[in-house]
Amino acid sequence: MKSLIVKKFGGASVGSIRKIESIAQRLSEDRKRGEQPLVVLSAMSGYTDSLIQMAHKVHPHFQGEAYDMLVSSGEQISISLLSLALEKRGLKNKPLLAHQAGIQTSALFSKAHIESIQIEKVKALLKKKVMPLIAGFQGVTKQNEITTLGRGGSDLTAVALSSALKVKTCEIYTDVPGVFTADPRLVPKAKKQKSLSFSEMMEMSYLGSKVLQIRSVEMALKYDVKLHVRHAFKKEEGTWIINKKEGGMEGSVVSAIAHDLNTLVIKFNKTPSGVNFLSDLFTELGKEAVFVDIISQSAIGAPSRLSFSIPKTDLKKSLSVLKKLKVEKNISVINKVAKISVIGVGMASHSGVAGRFFSVIKKTKARLYLVTTSEIKISTVIDEKSLKKTARALHKEFNLY
Amino acid sequence: MKSLIVKKFGGASVGSIRKIESIAQRLSEDRKRGEQPLVVLSAMSGYTDSLIQMAHKVHPHFQGEAYDMLVSSGEQISISLLSLALEKRGLKNKPLLAHQAGIQTSALFSKAHIESIQIEKVKALLKKKVMPLIAGFQGVTKQNEITTLGRGGSDLTAVALSSALKVKTCEIYTDVPGVFTADPRLVPKAKKQKSLSFSEMMEMSYLGSKVLQIRSVEMALKYDVKLHVRHAFKKEEGTWIINKKEGGMEGSVVSAIAHDLNTLVIKFNKTPSGVNFLSDLFTELGKEAVFVDIISQSAIGAPSRLSFSIPKTDLKKSLSVLKKLKVEKNISVINKVAKISVIGVGMASHSGVAGRFFSVIKKTKARLYLVTTSEIKISTVIDEKSLKKTARALHKEFNLY
């Protein structure tokens, strides 16, 4: 099966019947060119969200089998519709739900992990030149209960299938032409990148890019599957996510700028002293599944100053933790902020990146709330108003045009 | 499991989240009263139709696995939502799709027959006081392909489960209080019937009543399962479908009047002679799955006169058959007609019913197109305009008030 390629279509690329027809047309042309596609599909865009809304209406916050059974129905609909569209074009195909494809997961509902895939069934279909259409995002436990893999889980399904089939490339089709140096809505001069390393892509996913789910990039790295992110309805190549040598093969220090508006800062006006408080605070926030992002504490002088950032969507849960710890009157919530980051494997071997970064911040007069760095990124929370000009200035500073 | 009752909720009774909450409330009260319900659900009303429309948009007339996979997603949604509503009320329950409940069918997609149910799983749940919520309408083949049972298939699921569990009663919850002596929209004085025999109910389903699917009544008769048709949100008893002795236990000759507007008459102006033509005609119509209802041919004199009735929805297919047989210019289509029937096991032992029936027709001056009779019914196609007055006059003539 030399020409076997795993192709995942997601997001807005399966957003309507017309688009599903276009996917069928593309697959039919792929077939004529000698490719043998194995297709993984997401739900039609918006559909899963409307199911989630229904679930929340009936029983807010419930997690378990019923919820996963409900939200997994979206992929069932998209693979059946694509199957009909392929039938119409005379292409032999077989729609497969997770229980039919043998995608077995842990019993952690709504964020299950794929444990194994009984790949023989899919292999048998491929051997007979039948195109498998696999429902992404879903799995079954050993007890045959339906699970889902969390947001963006269809990417994970695609990578897991590529790995199980020992296929070296997995194509991720979406409604954008690839991964850009920055969000073009923010930086109009942003350009499509030819390639990114796995670690750069992971940082980008973590730092706000919505193109790929971070777990799927991790998994691709682990099993050495190249990802090709490309536009579902255009022929041109997209962006390759590959195993690049650290140090910037292409000579660029910074590869991309990422931003995230779903963030806010909680700042302590007066931090309760003692290491016990910090331990209690972050343990309790963890229990409530609050995603604490950047933490900053300056221990210089007393009282010490603590701030941390969380997604805007976790504010309610955080406030109830702070209330429980009786410090809710001691804090300020800073809402109108944004996270902006520069990412690049080249940073590890180039000094002076931080200096260039902060002189841009100085020039744009952005108000800086939090900073964190790693070998391949610098990430800051700044005031929302300064986001656009800072993004553009950073883009220019690091020659991303 | 003395208090075990199979309860099927269908049609408009699962039409919204509010109604699903009401069902959960009712089940919770049933539980408090000591009942142990096993629940079978249809899709939320309108949902399956919208899926069918999508399928037809992509690939009209396709029948097969993809279609069944698509349309079976409605029941998946309703059982998960009911499960969430029961969870909220603290009732242990388990939503089960056909493949999970082991409902195995033939591979006749869209009209599969239930071949067996692995009832042990459901029994184990009941033993642990967990309420099983079974997706109606769907099954799986031996090869684990998803099938559906045809329109009203959820009734069939409920009856099959009752039979497999050896339960004597199956409750069919709907949005009407029971089976009426006539459609109350047509005959305002129609009243709810306490009981009907299986054969009466089968005739009624056949002749236009939409309360129960004919195959489920047949199956209930075969496995001796009493059906109790009742309103989902009212306490009062509904109509029992039971094994009544022929001859009219309650002394009434006629039990009910049924009508059907989805009918039209195809009349030959000059019938091609020879028995071959009739054989060709009805064989070809059968191949196209046209449902030919009443056939009338008067052989007296030449040319002989042939007419037959079909559902309005089958007209297009019929005309293409008539064209193929080159007789399309030889016919008239009579559109504005309706079928009206009287049904009653009492008719078999009472003479004179036909006489009374036709004197009503004479009085109302209805134009009569076709007639057919059996031991327990008289069925006619008349002009649509006369339907209402004829229904009311028949209702009065046979003392159905």
Side-chain angles (χ1 to χ4, degrees):
Chain A
M1 286 179 273
K2 214 171 154 187
S3 53
L4 175 61
I5 301 183
V6 173
K7 291 170 188 269
K8 181 251 166 182
F9 293 85
S13 78
V14 284
S16 66
I17 285 182
R18 198 177 50 76
K19 288 184 179 174
I20 287 177
E21 294 271 12
S22 303
I23 293 174
Q25 195 51 41
R26 177 164 200 147
L27 291 169
S28 142
E29 288 158 18
D30 290 345
R31 235 347 218 285
K32 274 179 203 141
R33 271 206 321 280
E35 280 185 12
Q36 193 172 22
L38 176 149
V39 184
V40 176
L41 284 192
S42 294
M44 293 169 83
S45 57
Y47 188 83
T48 307
D49 286 330
S50 72
L51 292 172
I52 291 173
Q53 274 172 26
M54 278 165 101
H56 286 178
K57 227 168 156 182
V58 178
H59 193 353
H61 312 308
F62 177 82
Q63 285 204 324
E65 193 182 354
Y67 182 90
D68 285 26
M69 184 185 275
L70 180 69
V71 300
S72 67
S73 65
E75 282 69 22
Q76 178 164 343
I77 291 171
S78 52
I79 62 169
S80 346
L81 287 174
L82 180 60
S83 173
L84 290 172
L86 291 170
E87 290 286 345
K88 192 166 64 177
R89 288 166 177 80
L91 262 82
K92 277 202 286 181
N93 69 86
K94 181 93 175 174
L96 294 171
L97 300 171
H99 73 91
Q100 296 170 320
I103 299 174
Q104 199 209 288
T105 70
S106 62
L108 203 66
F109 292 104
S110 297
K111 31 188 144 160
H113 288 263
I114 297 179
E115 291 181 340
S116 65
I117 299 182
Q118 289 158 29
I119 204 68
E120 292 70 31
K121 185 159 184 181
V122 165
K123 278 187 178 164
L125 291 171
L126 290 167
K127 213 172 169 181
K128 288 189 286 180
K129 305 275 177 213
V130 175
M131 198 188 295
L133 314 179
I134 316 255
F137 181 57
Q138 57 180 246
V140 281
T141 67
K142 273 193 191 113
Q143 283 72 41
N144 204 19
E145 296 165 319
I146 293 172
T147 56
T148 59
L149 308 175
R151 277 274 151 182
S154 294
D155 292 337
L156 214 54
T157 308
V159 173
L161 281 161
S162 305
S163 156
L165 286 165
K166 300 189 177 31
V167 179
K168 287 290 163 211
T169 303
C170 176
E171 296 188 337
I172 307 284
Y173 288 89
T174 178
D175 59 336
V176 293
V179 184
F180 278 67
T181 50
D183 186 333
R185 285 167 300 185
L186 201 66
V187 183
K189 289 188 180 167
K191 67 170 210 277
K192 189 179 71 185
Q193 311 197 61
K194 278 197 184 143
S195 66
L196 278 169
S197 75
F198 287 112
S199 49
E200 284 171 330
M201 192 65 232
M202 273 188 266
E203 282 288 4
M204 286 192 71
S205 299
Y206 181 87
L207 294 170
S209 161
K210 281 167 189 67
V211 178
L212 277 172
Q213 190 218 25
I214 191 163
R215 281 166 67 201
S216 61
V217 186
E218 276 172 4
M219 199 188 229
L221 169 62
K222 188 171 164 192
Y223 294 105
D224 197 20
V225 175
K226 289 187 197 101
L227 300 176
H228 185 187
V229 179
R230 57 195 300 196
H231 199 293
F233 307 122
K234 289 178 184 160
K235 302 277 174 207
E236 65 190 67
E237 290 231 330
T239 302
W240 288 85
I241 319 296
I242 51 173
N243 228 331
K244 270 204 277 189
K245 294 271 175 291
E246 308 284 313
M249 230 162 43
E250 291 173 346
S252 64
V253 178
V254 163
S255 310
I257 291 166
H259 77 285
D260 193 353
L261 287 165
N262 183 20
T263 191
L264 59 77
V265 174
I266 292 181
K267 185 181 152 197
F268 277 80
N269 302 320
K270 187 175 157 254
T271 317
S273 55
V275 74
N276 283 348
F277 174 73
L278 286 186
S279 152
D280 288 354
L281 175 63
F282 293 117
T283 307
E284 289 295 325
L285 287 170
K287 273 187 202 161
E288 291 296 315
V290 170
F291 173 74
V292 177
D293 187 15
I294 310 180
I295 302 171
S296 148
Q297 198 192 18
S298 63
I300 306 158
S304 65
R305 283 159 188 278
L306 171 70
S307 328
F308 58 91
S309 64
I310 56 166
K312 285 195 172 76
T313 36
D314 284 354
L315 180 60
K316 215 174 144 186
K317 289 188 282 179
S318 306
L319 289 179
S320 79
V321 167
L322 293 165
K323 206 166 177 182
K324 199 175 153 193
L325 296 174
K326 299 196 174 78
V327 291
E328 84 274 16
K329 282 175 186 154
N330 206 359
I331 56 137
S332 313
V333 174
I334 307 164
N335 239 311
K336 300 221 155 171
V337 294
K339 186 162 63 167
I340 182 153
S341 317
V342 297
I343 298 134
V345 287
M347 287 167 63
S349 55
H350 282 74
S351 55
V353 176
R356 288 165 75 187
F357 185 95
F358 288 109
S359 36
V360 167
I361 297 282
K362 191 177 153 194
K363 236 184 291 172
T364 62
K365 296 188 175 124
R367 181 154 179 199
L368 193 66
Y369 291 96
L370 289 167
V371 180
T372 186
T373 59
S374 80
E375 267 203 301
I376 67 161
K377 69 127 191 273
I378 299 172
S379 196
T380 59
V381 176
I382 62 172
D383 64 297
E384 199 185 312
K385 262 193 193 161
S386 306
L387 174 64
K388 196 184 271 184
K389 61 182 172 197
T390 305
R392 291 177 188 182
L394 286 168
H395 205 261
K396 197 175 172 198
E397 171 66 31
F398 291 106
N399 309 310
L400 293 174
Y401 301 109
Chain B
M1 287 180 275
K2 215 172 154 187
S3 52
L4 175 61
I5 301 182
V6 173
K7 290 169 189 271
K8 181 254 167 180
F9 292 86
S13 79
V14 285
S16 67
I17 286 182
R18 199 177 51 76
K19 286 183 181 176
I20 286 176
E21 294 270 13
S22 304
I23 293 174
Q25 195 50 41
R26 177 162 202 148
L27 291 169
S28 142
E29 288 159 19
D30 289 346
R31 243 331 228 288
K32 278 182 200 138
R33 270 205 322 278
E35 280 186 13
Q36 193 172 19
L38 176 149
V39 183
V40 175
L41 285 191
S42 293
M44 292 168 84
S45 56
Y47 188 82
T48 307
D49 287 330
S50 71
L51 292 172
I52 292 172
Q53 274 172 25
M54 278 165 99
H56 286 178
K57 229 168 154 180
V58 178
H59 193 354
H61 312 309
F62 178 82
Q63 284 203 325
E65 192 183 355
Y67 182 90
D68 285 26
M69 184 185 274
L70 179 70
V71 300
S72 68
S73 65
E75 282 70 22
Q76 178 164 343
I77 290 170
S78 53
I79 62 169
S80 346
L81 288 174
L82 181 60
S83 174
L84 290 172
L86 290 170
E87 290 285 346
K88 192 166 64 177
R89 288 167 178 80
L91 263 82
K92 279 202 285 183
N93 70 86
K94 181 92 176 174
L96 294 170
L97 300 171
H99 73 91
Q100 297 170 319
I103 299 174
Q104 200 211 289
T105 71
S106 63
L108 203 64
F109 293 104
S110 298
K111 29 187 147 159
H113 288 264
I114 297 179
E115 290 180 342
S116 66
I117 299 182
Q118 289 157 29
I119 204 67
E120 294 69 30
K121 183 158 185 182
V122 165
K123 277 187 179 165
L125 291 171
L126 290 167
K127 215 172 169 182
K128 289 190 285 183
K129 305 277 176 213
V130 175
M131 198 187 293
L133 313 180
I134 317 256
F137 181 58
Q138 56 180 246
V140 280
T141 66
K142 272 194 194 110
Q143 283 72 40
N144 205 20
E145 296 166 317
I146 293 172
T147 56
T148 58
L149 308 174
R151 278 272 149 182
S154 293
D155 293 338
L156 214 54
T157 308
V159 172
L161 282 161
S162 307
S163 154
L165 287 164
K166 300 187 176 38
V167 178
K168 286 292 164 211
T169 303
C170 175
E171 296 186 338
I172 307 284
Y173 288 89
T174 179
D175 59 336
V176 292
V179 185
F180 279 67
T181 50
D183 186 331
R185 285 167 298 184
L186 202 67
V187 183
K189 288 186 180 169
K191 65 173 212 274
K192 189 179 72 188
Q193 311 197 64
K194 277 195 185 144
S195 65
L196 279 168
S197 74
F198 287 112
S199 49
E200 283 171 331
M201 191 66 233
M202 274 187 268
E203 283 287 5
M204 285 191 71
S205 299
Y206 181 85
L207 294 168
S209 162
K210 283 167 187 69
V211 179
L212 278 171
Q213 188 218 27
I214 193 163
R215 280 166 66 200
S216 61
V217 185
E218 275 171 6
M219 198 187 230
L221 169 64
K222 187 171 164 194
Y223 293 105
D224 198 19
V225 175
K226 289 185 196 107
L227 300 175
H228 184 187
V229 179
R230 56 195 302 197
H231 199 292
F233 308 121
K234 288 178 184 162
K235 301 278 173 204
E236 64 191 66
E237 291 230 329
T239 303
W240 288 85
I241 317 296
I242 52 174
N243 228 330
K244 270 205 280 190
K245 292 270 173 293
E246 307 284 315
M249 231 165 42
E250 292 173 346
S252 65
V253 178
V254 164
S255 309
I257 291 165
H259 77 284
D260 192 353
L261 286 164
N262 182 21
T263 192
L264 59 76
V265 175
I266 291 180
K267 187 181 150 196
F268 277 79
N269 303 320
K270 188 175 156 251
T271 316
S273 54
V275 75
N276 283 349
F277 174 72
L278 287 186
S279 151
D280 289 353
L281 174 64
F282 294 115
T283 305
E284 289 296 325
L285 288 170
K287 272 188 202 160
E288 291 296 314
V290 170
F291 173 76
V292 177
D293 187 17
I294 309 179
I295 303 171
S296 149
Q297 197 193 20
S298 64
I300 305 158
S304 64
R305 281 157 190 278
L306 171 70
S307 331
F308 58 90
S309 63
I310 56 165
K312 284 195 171 76
T313 37
D314 284 355
L315 179 59
K316 214 174 143 185
K317 290 188 283 180
S318 305
L319 290 180
S320 79
V321 167
L322 293 165
K323 206 166 177 182
K324 195 175 156 192
L325 296 174
K326 301 197 173 80
V327 291
E328 84 275 16
K329 283 176 186 155
N330 205 359
I331 55 137
S332 314
V333 175
I334 306 164
N335 239 310
K336 302 220 155 174
V337 295
K339 185 161 66 166
I340 181 155
S341 317
V342 297
I343 298 132
V345 288
M347 286 166 63
S349 54
H350 282 76
S351 54
V353 176
R356 287 165 75 188
F357 184 96
F358 289 109
S359 33
V360 166
I361 297 283
K362 190 176 154 195
K363 239 184 287 171
T364 63
K365 295 185 177 127
R367 179 150 182 203
L368 195 65
Y369 291 95
L370 289 166
V371 180
T372 185
T373 60
S374 79
E375 267 203 304
I376 67 161
K377 68 127 194 272
I378 298 171
S379 196
T380 59
V381 177
I382 62 172
D383 64 297
E384 199 186 311
K385 261 194 194 159
S386 306
L387 175 64
K388 194 183 272 185
K389 62 184 173 195
T390 306
R392 291 176 186 183
L394 286 168
H395 205 260
K396 196 173 173 201
E397 172 66 31
F398 292 106
N399 308 309
L400 292 175
Y401 301 109

